[in-house]
Amino acid sequence: EYLFVPSKDSQTGRAKFEEIVDQARRILAQNPGYALYATGHSLGGALSSLFAFEAAASADIPKPVTCVSIASPKVGARSFSRAFKPLERQGKLRHLRVANYQDAVTLAPDMEALSGAYSLLCQDRVFRHVGIELKLYEEDDCRLLYSGKDHGNKVLHVLQKQAMTVASIPSLFMGTDLINNHGCQEYQKRLFRVKEALVTKNLEQLYKDDEICGGIFDKF
């Protein structure tokens, strides 16, 4: 709603997305060869994903549009994922989603963990991530994989998510781990630890890597 519905105090009567993308169009027109990037942390990461998706679907924006979201919650349900992936397959949209291991915000809203039956029976309504996930661990380690690619056995995946949620309840109520793992400082620290492993990679290469994205776009 923040991006796509005009606010009551808007002087132009237009939505934020329209105002921002118009400015981007002017800058891009004045600077041939420039590309559009969207980024944000937490809720800003979710908004950047939505913005990049809409911008990538706009005919007059140079492609690809690139989104680097950090610590973002899940943005949409199955219909959003099904609309997002064709833009990636066509090379119009690139999305790197950076998530710290045990950052609870990146699991929300998590109906899979809260209700396995709901998740299995109401797949169209379950929110899910999109884009290539860069998972950052506390050790000097990271993993690159398209979101959801490792969920081959759905029933087993739901049970694992429920177990993870139950195990993390004490730390969530205590609050310390949630704040630390979600904060920009912790993200920066973990990124610097794996900098050497990432510096030679780019998103185009990652999207062409079968180990990361293999089979994801076959049906789109």
Side-chain angles (χ1 to χ4, degrees):
E1 184 172 308
Y2 173 80
L3 276 178
F4 305 114
V5 177
S7 63
K8 295 179 180 179
D9 58 351
S10 172
Q11 296 180 351
T12 64
R14 305 172 69 207
K16 287 289 184 185
F17 172 80
E18 295 173 342
E19 294 176 354
I20 296 170
V21 84
D22 275 355
Q23 293 181 37
R25 286 191 183 104
R26 287 195 294 272
I27 294 171
L28 292 166
Q30 295 167 4
N31 298 275
Y34 276 37
L36 181 59
Y37 285 75
T39 189
H41 172 266
S42 195
L43 177 58
L47 290 173
S48 70
S49 302
L50 291 170
F51 177 86
F53 168 73
E54 289 290 337
S58 301
D60 54 350
I61 296 292
K63 308 300 187 297
V65 174
T66 301
C67 174
V68 180
S69 65
I70 302 168
S72 172
K74 298 172 185 176
V75 174
R78 176 176 282 178
S79 59
F80 178 71
S81 175
R82 286 178 170 173
F84 199 96
K85 289 176 181 176
L87 293 174
E88 293 175 292
R89 182 179 61 80
Q90 296 162 19
K92 296 180 179 180
L93 178 59
R94 294 291 179 253
H95 182 199
L96 180 67
R97 185 175 59 80
V98 185
N100 275 348
Y101 176 66
Q102 291 188 334
D103 178 354
V105 173
T106 64
L107 302 177
D110 198 357
M111 293 306 299
E112 287 183 337
L114 296 176
S115 173
Y118 179 92
S119 173
L120 293 171
L121 297 175
C122 304
Q123 279 294 295
D124 288 343
R125 299 182 182 181
V126 174
F127 272 44
R128 60 201 71 208
H129 280 302
V130 290
I132 294 176
E133 179 188 59
L134 170 59
K135 179 75 77 177
L136 300 172
Y137 296 93
E138 291 181 281
E139 303 80 13
D140 299 349
D141 192 19
C142 64
R143 184 190 71 168
L144 284 160
L145 194 67
Y146 195 91
S147 303
K149 189 174 184 294
D150 56 347
H151 298 171
N153 186 326
K154 186 63 184 176
V155 175
L156 178 60
H157 170 65
V158 169
L159 293 175
Q160 289 173 335
K161 289 292 289 295
Q162 288 179 307
M164 287 172 58
T165 300
V166 171
S168 64
I169 285 175
S171 64
L172 291 179
F173 278 108
M174 292 297 290
T176 304
D177 287 347
L178 173 61
I179 295 171
N180 289 343
N181 292 335
H182 186 62
C184 291
Q185 187 174 3
E186 182 65 19
Y187 271 86
Q188 184 181 45
K189 181 171 67 176
R190 295 190 191 188
L191 278 169
F192 271 109
R193 286 176 179 169
V194 296
K195 178 180 177 181
E196 294 303 318
L198 299 174
V199 71
T200 60
K201 303 179 186 297
N202 64 58
L203 268 178
E204 287 302 322
Q205 292 173 340
L206 299 181
Y207 269 91
K208 294 175 182 177
D209 190 325
D210 285 341
E211 292 187 3
I212 296 173
C213 294
I216 288 293
F217 307 113
D218 291 350
K219 58 184 177 181
F220 294 97

